[in-house]
């Protein structure tokens, strides 16, 4: 650290992303990416002609992509915001809707980036512990008198909240923004979209990284009433008006339009999730009920950390969180049929080794 860094930033603890080995070899089940390539329509759209226009800035209104998203959900373009990954949308939201005097309430166990943003933007986080079974204590999020940030389904627990419960939280906090991060909602979660009409304090955040097969394109979006979207645009325009590059803009449009491919990939993931969960249960694992493209699992016989390490030695990467309440668990992204077969094979080997 240099002597020049602002004192307020010296205490930052940056988010630690999952391992991203840049050479092939590992079966990568650690960062909840899609195992499938982007839609073939995305590949067709990104041709030489498009690349040859990279000398020109992208459209600072992001309108073509906003239009595609708005059409898909039957919303107005003015109800859509797009960001460079949903991480950027989340960052802008923390910046826009919380500060030293306006804390943000969030579950103690959730997406690890929320507390990092809180620190960066000097927002005081109010952490509410989850129930012992990792479900969200809905009543404790009602009428909290602060901005609320919730992932639904939650990460890394994979558990979803019902629309009814989300409405309780949104309706009891009308004086504050309730941000629902729906990164995983396409894998069986219940979306808060039907609430948008009635609740101008609701901000839904989505990503192209998981269910739209575009983690590398860095695209996320928010859906909300026009007023909240205008607030986010005010922040974006003061930070980075060209936040979506030309190629990702095209990729996002095509991915949004190809609903057949989207549905097929999603079905595959849900199918693999069901099959993998059944196999793990037979092997003595404990699992939460997943509404996401990953499983949150507690292995028999060994700790989460040991299981993670042994899988890694056998070429399978999963995510391990070294914190007191998560230590017995790992998070396993749902990959292709073949990837899950390999994962189960290695898991059986490990259990045999531990038993002998
Ligand atoms: C993956 C994830 C994100 C980040 O997605 P990007 O769009 O890739 O930045 C946001 N929220 C949750 C809960 C996630 O799991």
């Amino acid at each position: 650290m240099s002597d020049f860094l602002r004192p307020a930033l010296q205490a930052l603890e940056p988010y630690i992303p999952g391992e991203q080995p840049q050479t092939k070899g590992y079966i990568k089940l650690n960062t909840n990416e899609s195992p499938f390539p982007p839609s073939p329509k995305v590949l067709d759209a990104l041709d030489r002609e498009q690349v040859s226009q990279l000398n020109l800035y992208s459209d600072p209104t992001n309108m073509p992509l906003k239009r595609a998203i708005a059409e898909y959900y039957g919303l107005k373009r003015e109800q859509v915001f797009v960001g460079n990954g949903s991480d950027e949308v989340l960052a802008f939201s923390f910046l826009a809707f919380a500060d030293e005097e306006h804390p943000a309430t969030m579950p103690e166990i959730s997406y690890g980036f929320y507390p990092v943003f809180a620190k960066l933007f000097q927002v005081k986080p109010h952490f509410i512990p989850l129930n012992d079974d990792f479900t969200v204590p809905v009543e404790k999020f009602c009428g909290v008198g602060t901005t609320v940030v919730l992932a639904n389904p939650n990460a890394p627990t994979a558990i979803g909240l019902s629309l009814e419960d989300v409405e309780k939280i949104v309706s009891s906090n009308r004086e504050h923004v309730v941000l629902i991060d729906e990164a995983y909602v396409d894998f069986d979660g219940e979306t808060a979209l039907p609430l948008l009409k009635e609740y101008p304090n609701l901000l839904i955040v989505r990503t192209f990284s998981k269910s739209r097969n575009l983690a590398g394109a860095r695209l996320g979006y928010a859906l909300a009433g026009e007023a909240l979207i205008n607030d986010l645009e005010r922040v974006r325009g003061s930070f980075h008006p060209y936040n979506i590059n030309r190629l990702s803009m095209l990729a996002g449009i095509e991915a949004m339009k190809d609903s057949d491919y989207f549905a097929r990939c999603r079905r595959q993931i849900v199918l693999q999730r069901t099959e993998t969960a059944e196999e793990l249960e037979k092997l003595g694992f404990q699992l939460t009920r997943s509404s996401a493209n990953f499983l949150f699992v507690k292995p028999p016989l060994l700790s989460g950390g040991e299981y993670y390490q042994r899988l890694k030695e056998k070429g399978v990467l999963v995510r391990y969180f070294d914190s007191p309440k998560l230590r017995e668990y790992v998070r396993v992204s749902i990959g292709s049929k073949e990837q899950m077969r390999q994962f189960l094979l290695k898991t059986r080997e490990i259990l045999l080794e531990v038993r002998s």
Side-chain angles (χ1 to χ4, degrees), residues 31-32 84-88 90 111 114 151 153 155 181 183-184 206-210 215 218-220 331:
T31 50
N32 297 343
N84 195 308
S86 62
D87 286 340
E88 189 185 65
L90 292 168
Y111 183 38
Y114 303 150
D181 181 348
Y184 300 107
R206 297 276 192 109
T207 177
F208 282 76
S209 296
K210 278 71 189 229
R218 310 306 304 126
L219 286 174
R331 192 193 69 189

Side-chain angles (χ1 to χ4, degrees), residues 34-229:
S34 170
F36 307 116
S39 152
K41 300 208 165 118
V42 170
L43 304 191
D44 289 345
L46 302 184
D47 56 13
R48 279 184 81 89
E49 191 195 324
Q50 295 304 333
V51 175
S52 74
Q53 290 183 47
L54 283 177
N55 57 315
L56 302 175
Y57 279 110
S58 58
D59 181 345
T61 68
N62 292 333
M63 202 45 89
L65 181 52
K66 283 187 175 195
R67 202 180 294 126
I69 296 169
E71 269 172 28
Y72 183 82
Y73 293 109
L75 298 170
K76 289 194 276 185
R77 281 170 281 176
E78 293 77 14
Q79 292 180 279
V80 180
F81 177 83
V82 290
N84 195 308
S86 62
D87 286 340
E88 189 185 65
V89 182
L90 292 168
F92 289 169
S93 303
F94 271 85
L95 194 49
F97 305 118
D99 63 20
E100 284 112 306
E101 277 88 50
H102 302 88
T105 300
M106 58 193 86
E108 181 191 19
I109 296 170
S110 191
Y111 183 38
F113 222 140
Y114 303 150
V116 177
F117 287 135
K119 202 156 208 181
L120 176 61
F121 298 123
Q122 275 134 51
V123 172
K124 200 193 285 159
H126 285 186
F127 294 114
I128 296 187
L130 296 181
N131 297 320
D132 287 342
D133 62 357
F134 294 111
T135 54
V136 170
V138 175
E139 306 302 330
K140 293 195 179 133
F141 282 86
C142 291
V144 291
T146 75
T147 297
V148 174
V149 179
L150 268 176
N152 184 36
N154 197 13
T157 63
I159 301 171
L161 279 176
S162 69
L163 179 58
E164 196 185 325
D165 283 342
V166 172
E167 181 162 17
K168 278 188 203 163
I169 295 168
V170 177
S171 67
S172 64
N173 289 292
R174 283 175 187 262
E175 305 299 311
H176 296 275
V177 169
V178 176
L179 185 161
I180 307 290
D181 181 348
E182 295 190 339
Y184 300 107
V185 80
D186 290 324
F187 304 102
D188 281 355
E190 277 191 70
T191 179
L193 271 171
L195 306 180
L196 274 185
K197 254 197 221 112
E198 197 175 332
Y199 299 101
N201 62 322
L202 172 62
L203 180 64
I204 299 174
V205 176
R206 297 276 192 109
T207 177
F208 282 76
S209 296
K210 278 71 189 229
S211 59
R212 300 268 171 190
N213 317 26
L214 283 175
R218 310 306 304 126
L219 286 174
Y221 52 105
L223 308 171
E226 291 181 40
L228 289 190
I229 297 299

